[in-house]
């Protein structure tokens, strides 16, 4: 729905935060979309944010933008509107992170072994033991949580009969 290519979505994730990064503190969705549409890449955005100095005003970075590319005017307007705001943005040390980009482009996944996954009745004894070791729950506490689940499982495991839906008269 955003009509953004994959690399731009990854840039949004780096700006806003995701499973792989905390993002840029102080940048919300509106500013992130403006960054993505104003800068050709996050490296130039990061350099601009890091170049902030108190009382800085326009400098050589803005002069370089004049006519540099098709997005120069948009970037210039963005920089002007956000010239004071950028001092509050906190970039992660490795921003933009190539490792985050790689994690999105080539995620590490586990191989699925169809034989390893078997559906069956849950092991109540094993679940009680797990609850004891992981949560410190005694059997009574574990049973409060587990037994309703076991009853629901048992109900779904029996095949429904026609008589359970209709009342028959003899």
């Amino acid at each position: 729905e955003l009509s953004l290519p994959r690399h731009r979505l990854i840039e949004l994730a780096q700006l806003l935060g995701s499973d792989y990064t905390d993002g840029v503190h102080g940048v919300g969705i509106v500013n992130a979309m403006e960054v993505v549409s104003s800068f050709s890449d996050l490296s130039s955005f990061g350099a601009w944010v890091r170049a902030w100095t108190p009382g800085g005003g326009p400098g050589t970075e803005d002069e370089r933008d004049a006519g540099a590319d098709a997005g120069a005017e948009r970037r210039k307007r963005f920089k002007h509107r956000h010239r004071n705001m950028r001092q509050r943005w906190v970039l992660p040390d490795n921003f933009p992170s190539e490792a985050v980009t790689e994690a999105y482009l080539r995620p590490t996944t586990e191989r699925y072994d169809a034989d390893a996954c078997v559906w069956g009745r849950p092991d109540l004894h094993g679940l009680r033991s797990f609850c004891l070791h992981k949560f410190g729950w005694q059997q009574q506490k574990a049973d409060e949580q587990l037994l309703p689940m076991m009853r629901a499982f048992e109900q779904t495991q029996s095949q429904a009969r026609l008589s359970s839906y209709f009342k028959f008269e003899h």
Side-chain angles (χ1 to χ4, degrees), residues 5-167:
R6 187 176 188 187
H7 75 279
R8 290 306 203 172
L9 291 172
I10 294 170
E11 289 177 345
L12 278 179
Q14 291 213 41
L15 289 163
L16 296 170
S18 67
D19 289 347
Y20 302 122
T21 181
D22 291 333
V24 177
H25 179 74
V27 171
I29 185 65
V30 173
N31 284 330
M33 288 296 291
E34 290 177 333
V35 168
V36 167
S37 67
S38 299
F39 289 85
S40 59
D41 59 55
L42 291 184
S43 294
S44 56
F45 169 73
W48 176 72
V49 171
R50 288 183 180 104
W52 180 86
T53 57
T60 57
E61 69 193 46
D62 294 319
E63 293 164 6
R64 279 195 310 262
D65 272 345
D69 60 49
E73 188 57 38
R74 186 176 342 165
R75 189 169 38 262
K76 187 175 179 183
R77 283 193 311 270
F78 174 88
K79 287 179 175 184
H80 179 74
R81 281 193 319 268
H82 297 85
R83 65 188 178 279
N84 294 322
M85 191 179 299
R86 71 176 169 169
Q87 68 180 310
R88 293 186 296 271
W89 291 335
V90 181
L91 301 173
D93 293 336
N94 61 346
F95 183 86
S97 170
E98 187 61 35
V100 170
T101 300
E102 283 300 307
Y104 277 107
L105 293 175
R106 292 169 206 56
T108 303
T109 59
E110 298 289 327
R111 292 297 252 167
Y112 173 70
D113 181 8
D115 294 332
C117 184
V118 177
W119 295 103
R121 187 175 198 281
D123 175 11
L124 183 59
H125 177 73
L127 288 170
R128 284 175 177 150
S129 177
F130 177 84
C131 290
L132 177 64
H133 291 95
K134 293 294 182 181
F135 309 132
W137 292 355
Q138 296 301 317
Q139 182 174 337
Q140 181 180 353
K141 172 73 173 167
D143 283 351
E144 287 174 15
Q145 303 300 316
L146 297 173
L147 292 180
M149 178 266 311
M150 293 298 289
R151 281 191 291 276
F153 177 82
E154 295 298 333
Q155 287 177 348
T156 61
Q157 292 303 304
S158 62
Q159 185 173 355
R161 298 181 183 275
L162 194 57
S163 60
S164 64
Y165 297 103
F166 301 103
K167 190 172 188 176

